[in-house]
Amino acid sequence: MATTKGAKILVECLKREGVEIAFGIPGGVNLPTFDALYDSGINVILTVHEQGAAHMADGYARATGKVGVCLATSGPGATNLTTGIATAFMDSIPVVALTGQVRTTVIGNDAFQEVDTIGVTRPITKHSFLVKDVRDIARTVREAFFIARTGRPGPVLIDLPVDTTVAEAEFLYPEEVTIRGYKPKILVDAAIDSIDQANIERAVEAIARSRRPVIYAGAGVIHGGASAELLELAHKTRIPVTTSLLGLGGFPETDPLSLGMLGMHGFEYTNYAVAACDCLIGIGARFDDRVTGKPDEFAKQATKIHIDVDPSSINKTVLVDIPIIGDVKAVLRTLNALVKPADTGAWLARIGEMRKTYPLIYRKKDKVLPQVVVQQISAATKGNAVIATGVGQHQMWAAQYYQFNHPRSLITSGGLGTMGFGLPAAIGAQFGRPGEVVWDIDGDGSFQMTAQELATAAQHHLPIKVAIMNNQFHGMVRQWQDLFYQSRYAQSRLNPVDFVKLAEANGCVGIRVERDQEVRPAIDRAMRVSDRPTVIDFLVESKEDCWPMIAPGKPHDQMLGTYESLKDAGGVPQHRRISPDEEAKLSLG
Amino acid sequence: MNEKHTISCLVENHFGVLARVAGLISARGFNIDSLTVSATEDPTVSRMTIVVDADAIKLEQVKRQLDRLIDVIGVTELSEGKFIDRELLLARVKNVGNEHVELERLVQSTPGAKIAARSPGSCVVEAIGDTNMLDQFVEQLRAYGIEKLVRTGRVALEKE
């Protein structure tokens, strides 16, 4: 019997899963794995920190739809991955994390660099495996990828004790995967359950009866590859579409039926439309608290339809009238074959009026405004770039002022809200989509949490572009301190950092922008750099607030920083999010 | 309105499955009265019987979240009247003077109860029954002075 070393079996299985790239750092107990990867043809990217590796795998997965892979050694290597794993878990991103573990004979003895990785990651993975026998490696890898990419996707961790990877066994590859406790509704052509079929018919009736319907689409539309089906549903029924933060790009914002983003920092008119709707069709979205505000008040008058692949998403925060559990693409295809146009003429006219009455607005200041930077990036890239972000004000401005038209064009940490996500996620995205323009729109606070990964980007000559909205504050914290803590800026001020020097020290192009007229030339210059990263240090208005805003726990029709409240204070209305045709028709003075 | 519900859960007989289920219950803030794990007719499968204190909405979440775990093969709620449930109770009770005659009488008149061990100052009483019956029995035992008490939690099986 020919035998193969465990690490070789692992690598062979990764290749059969289609893995082309992995991100990670070698260490004591995962040396056999790295050694087997060394000449395997899989592109292994050394990161500076394991958190970077996890976010890169995540960014790669979000940008491509493939499974991202990251590797770390035991103990600190594994614990450094955890923020990235939790980020992927909250946003349902398919990632497989391969961690080294001390040898099986010393597990539990507090060995050097030992941590109970399975225990630590249990609540932040879709599933995890500890492989104690080399003969289990092939089946485990097969199952891990199957679990990560099917149903509601998510991260899966495989903990590999070093002795398992050096032991030898016959290589038997399981072609079929059967896990008796895991039967996701994954197949687009699979028959829809009779209960769900009946509910689809109820949904068709509810849609036909409605006069003020709204579609609320989430990341499930993007994960499920159902953007075309969503577009068909909206056009066929004439129902306008709002998306969650993670749903941006799932419906083109150039479409007249696009309402943009709803929720805490969503558009005013969009939130008013949701508050007034009589039928809400949630598709691949989970009614997150940043979307619903006060759950009891959310779309209070509406008959709620909820289409989701994960049964546990139904009735979790908001009670729905018509639940439909299934693959979003399969359900939408069935629904599209049955729906009839809804009578939405008056409703669309009313929304059009609200869109004119309550545009986005900001006041010009002496210093550069971050909103202007995002608008200029949107214009320079024509809404065709991949945009990664950190977390905070800049993330919300990116969501508001960039026009997202394509699925997988926004890469952002929605659920966990992980500051420091932007740069490594942009790196992962650029590896996945090498010919495309990738921007990281970041804040100085967020960027500094993982800024060391500039070295990784520079090493691989990635032409990513980093736009730092440098306001020398944790800006969203500062905004909340102004709103709710009497402007006591407890630890929200940041030390000024020269990001141009930091960029240059890492082998990147560094550009500083201090005036409005420098914004576009700097963006255009960054777009011309093709052999290394560019970092633009935008010294922006330090106390600009992100408006509008629903205060936590408040209903959607009680917003702060509304158009009305800002227009008399010198605000300039902004209409970026409407198609050029419609923008012309609106003819704002 | 909160009510007690009995959930029967078939799980893989792997290392770590109890930790996954227990972790889920604590992380999601579900209130449970008891959880038992036991072998089944199939050596690769264990059965968990979980008694949950929840309203209808919360119960639905408990079931769906449990079902989401890869190692959970199936989740069934046992509906009232359609299943048999049993618990085992052990109680060490003081056994002095004339009272022990009364204690013996109580134990003899209670179906499923017997004296499992005797020592000079106390005796250990065992009882098998459903939760209500054991609750009542505990109340009756209190008169004799319960020194220590342990109950297994509920196991349950559908009648057909």
Side-chain angles (χ1 to χ4, degrees):
Chain A
M1 181 186 76
T3 59
T4 311
K5 207 169 151 181
K8 282 249 185 237
I9 295 176
L10 170 71
V11 170
E12 182 55 33
C13 291
L14 294 178
K15 287 164 82 170
R16 292 195 191 193
E17 294 298 336
V19 175
E20 293 163 355
I21 191 167
F23 306 89
I25 304 183
V29 294
N30 67 359
L31 277 168
T33 301
F34 272 78
D35 188 64
L37 283 164
Y38 192 50
D39 50 6
S40 66
I42 294 175
N43 188 13
V44 183
I45 306 301
L46 170 66
T47 63
V48 182
H49 188 285
E50 287 89 350
Q51 184 186 348
H55 290 328
M56 285 177 209
D58 178 325
Y60 172 86
R62 291 186 205 233
T64 62
K66 299 178 193 166
V67 179
V69 176
C70 56
L71 303 114
T73 192
S74 62
T79 54
N80 280 346
L81 283 181
T82 52
T83 300
I85 295 172
T87 304
F89 184 64
M90 286 292 271
D91 291 348
S92 309
I93 306 302
V95 167
V96 169
L98 302 166
T99 48
Q101 184 54 276
V102 300
R103 61 183 195 278
T104 49
T105 49
V106 298
I107 286 178
N109 286 357
D110 300 327
F112 177 66
Q113 293 193 325
E114 181 186 359
V115 89
D116 173 12
T117 305
I118 297 289
V120 168
T121 58
R122 194 178 292 122
I124 54 168
T125 49
K126 186 173 172 186
H127 196 53
S128 53
F129 298 90
L130 172 64
V131 189
K132 288 174 157 177
D133 188 328
V134 61
R135 289 168 298 179
D136 292 334
I137 289 179
R139 183 186 49 79
T140 302
V141 174
R142 198 90 177 86
E143 291 183 0
F145 277 80
F146 179 70
I147 292 167
R149 63 160 72 100
T150 54
R152 179 177 176 175
V156 177
L157 183 137
I158 307 177
D159 203 23
L160 291 154
V162 62
D163 50 337
T164 309
T165 56
V166 297
E168 301 212 346
E170 189 183 358
F171 178 40
L172 297 167
Y173 189 72
E175 294 295 337
E176 296 290 321
V177 188
T178 44
I179 306 167
R180 56 185 168 182
Y182 182 64
K183 299 277 181 287
K185 300 198 176 186
I186 44 168
L187 302 171
V188 173
D189 299 324
I192 288 170
D193 288 1
S194 57
I195 290 179
D196 295 314
Q197 185 65 44
N199 280 344
I200 288 173
E201 282 156 26
R202 285 175 63 207
V204 169
E205 285 165 34
I207 289 167
R209 266 199 318 272
S210 69
R211 293 294 175 269
R212 301 187 308 280
V214 168
I215 293 171
Y216 150 48
V221 170
I222 297 168
H223 298 329
S227 297
E229 286 77 8
L230 172 62
L231 195 69
E232 187 187 337
L233 175 67
H235 284 184
K236 212 163 172 180
T237 55
R238 303 292 302 154
I239 298 178
V241 180
T242 178
T243 72
S244 65
L245 173 67
L246 293 181
L248 285 171
F251 190 80
E253 296 195 324
T254 45
D255 194 289
L257 288 170
S258 168
L259 300 177
M261 182 176 77
L262 81 166
M264 183 174 273
H265 290 288
F267 299 136
E268 214 177 324
Y269 79 91
T270 308
N271 283 334
Y272 296 155
V274 170
C277 74
D278 67 352
C279 178
L280 185 88
I281 307 149
I283 308 176
R286 63 183 178 90
F287 296 81
D288 170 70
D289 58 79
R290 287 306 195 248
V291 162
T292 61
K294 199 174 174 189
D296 310 343
E297 301 277 336
F298 181 65
K300 212 175 174 181
Q301 311 159 40
T303 301
K304 296 185 187 75
I305 301 165
H306 189 185
I307 303 168
D308 207 286
V309 73
D310 178 4
S312 72
S313 284
I314 307 284
N315 289 342
K316 189 171 69 182
T317 55
V318 171
L319 295 184
V320 298
D321 304 286
I322 307 175
I324 302 168
I325 298 163
D327 178 274
V328 166
K329 196 181 180 93
V331 172
L332 287 185
R333 279 183 183 173
T334 312
L335 189 61
N336 284 341
L338 299 171
V339 283
K340 291 165 199 74
D343 179 6
T344 57
W347 175 233
L348 290 176
R350 184 171 153 194
I351 287 175
E353 278 305 308
M354 289 200 290
R355 174 145 52 190
K356 273 193 242 180
T357 314
Y358 309 109
L360 281 173
I361 185 167
Y362 53 67
R363 278 171 284 186
K364 291 281 184 198
K365 304 271 172 71
D366 292 339
K367 296 187 93 173
V368 173
L369 284 179
Q371 298 96 314
V372 172
V373 175
V374 176
Q375 286 177 316
Q376 290 295 333
I377 293 173
S378 188
T381 60
K382 302 184 176 63
N384 293 325
V386 177
I387 303 293
T389 78
V391 169
Q393 286 183 318
H394 68 274
Q395 178 191 30
M396 292 299 111
W397 284 315
Q400 292 175 336
Y401 288 92
Y402 194 91
Q403 192 165 53
F404 292 98
N405 299 323
H406 310 290
R408 306 194 180 282
S409 58
L410 174 63
I411 295 181
T412 194
S413 167
L416 197 66
T418 308
M419 291 174 68
F421 179 73
L423 174 64
I427 293 171
Q430 184 77 81
F431 273 117
R433 288 161 67 172
E436 298 186 44
V437 176
V438 177
W439 279 83
D440 168 29
I441 297 177
D442 224 324
D444 53 332
S446 215
F447 175 73
Q448 288 187 82
M449 290 197 179
T450 55
Q452 70 278 3
E453 299 302 341
L454 278 181
T456 310
Q459 185 191 346
H460 296 278
H461 306 284
L462 299 181
I464 58 165
K465 296 101 181 52
V466 182
I468 303 174
M469 309 297 158
N470 184 355
N471 57 7
Q472 291 166 29
F473 267 111
H474 283 297
M476 193 63 93
V477 172
R478 195 271 314 147
Q479 180 172 341
W480 283 46
Q481 286 169 332
D482 275 334
L483 286 170
F484 310 121
Y485 295 89
Q486 299 82 44
S487 301
R488 287 156 53 85
Y489 296 151
Q491 284 66 51
S492 55
R493 271 183 208 280
L494 290 165
N495 195 44
V497 171
D498 185 337
F499 290 112
V500 172
K501 277 189 183 158
L502 182 71
E504 288 168 350
N506 280 286
C508 309
V509 176
I511 306 171
R512 177 161 299 111
V513 170
E514 295 180 67
R515 276 178 289 278
D516 277 341
Q517 60 268 34
E518 296 164 5
V519 171
R520 188 56 184 268
I523 292 167
D524 290 340
R525 193 180 146 202
M527 295 282 279
R528 288 193 298 270
V529 178
S530 61
D531 62 345
R532 75 192 82 172
T534 304
V535 176
I536 313 179
D537 184 10
F538 291 99
L539 298 182
V540 297
E541 179 62 36
S542 64
K543 291 191 188 173
E544 182 65 7
D545 288 323
C546 185
W547 303 124
M549 173 180 179
I550 306 174
K554 295 282 188 203
H556 280 51
D557 46 9
Q558 293 175 27
M559 300 188 79
L560 304 171
T562 57
Y563 176 74
E564 281 298 317
S565 70
L566 294 174
K567 75 171 173 58
D568 296 330
V572 185
Q574 301 299 316
H575 272 273
R576 290 217 53 78
R577 303 298 287 260
I578 301 172
S579 68
D581 292 354
E582 248 180 294
E583 195 153 23
K585 270 188 261 161
L586 290 169
S587 67
L588 285 150
Chain B
M1 199 189 69
N2 278 16
E3 275 181 41
K4 311 274 186 207
H5 304 271
T6 306
I7 295 171
S8 182
C9 202
L10 277 183
V11 302
E12 294 287 350
N13 184 15
H14 286 164
F15 148 96
V17 179
L18 176 61
R20 284 185 205 280
V21 171
L24 173 94
I25 288 167
S26 78
R28 299 265 170 197
F30 299 141
N31 284 323
I32 61 164
D33 281 12
S34 69
L35 186 159
T36 65
V37 194
S38 65
T40 65
E41 70 287 357
D42 177 348
T44 68
V45 171
S46 304
R47 186 183 297 280
M48 291 191 184
T49 310
I50 307 171
V51 181
V52 189
D53 191 19
D55 63 15
I57 302 294
K58 197 86 178 170
L59 176 70
E60 183 185 307
Q61 265 298 305
V62 174
K63 282 161 39 183
R64 287 181 164 166
Q65 292 291 348
L66 283 169
D67 210 18
R68 209 174 157 203
L69 295 177
I70 310 291
D71 284 336
V72 171
I73 300 164
V75 180
T76 324
E77 189 197 349
L78 301 178
S79 42
E80 206 53 51
K82 298 213 167 136
F83 66 94
I84 300 290
D85 67 293
R86 290 291 182 268
E87 283 192 62
L88 170 65
L89 165 154
L90 294 174
R92 198 168 79 210
V93 185
K94 282 189 199 131
N95 186 19
V96 285
N98 291 334
E99 284 182 359
H100 89 266
V101 181
E102 286 173 47
L103 177 63
E104 295 262 358
R105 201 171 294 143
L106 170 66
V107 169
Q108 275 167 18
S109 65
T110 306
K114 67 178 185 189
I115 307 245
R118 293 168 208 272
S119 54
S122 63
C123 64
V124 175
V125 177
E126 71 165 61
I128 296 169
D130 66 23
T131 304
N132 282 340
M133 184 234 130
L134 292 189
D135 287 348
Q136 285 171 19
F137 187 54
V138 169
E139 286 313 308
Q140 291 170 318
L141 282 181
R142 283 192 199 285
Y144 304 93
I146 298 174
E147 290 179 341
K148 283 192 174 172
L149 177 79
V150 64
R151 290 168 71 158
T152 57
R154 194 185 291 187
V155 292
L157 208 59
E158 294 112 315
K159 287 181 195 166
E160 51 188 276

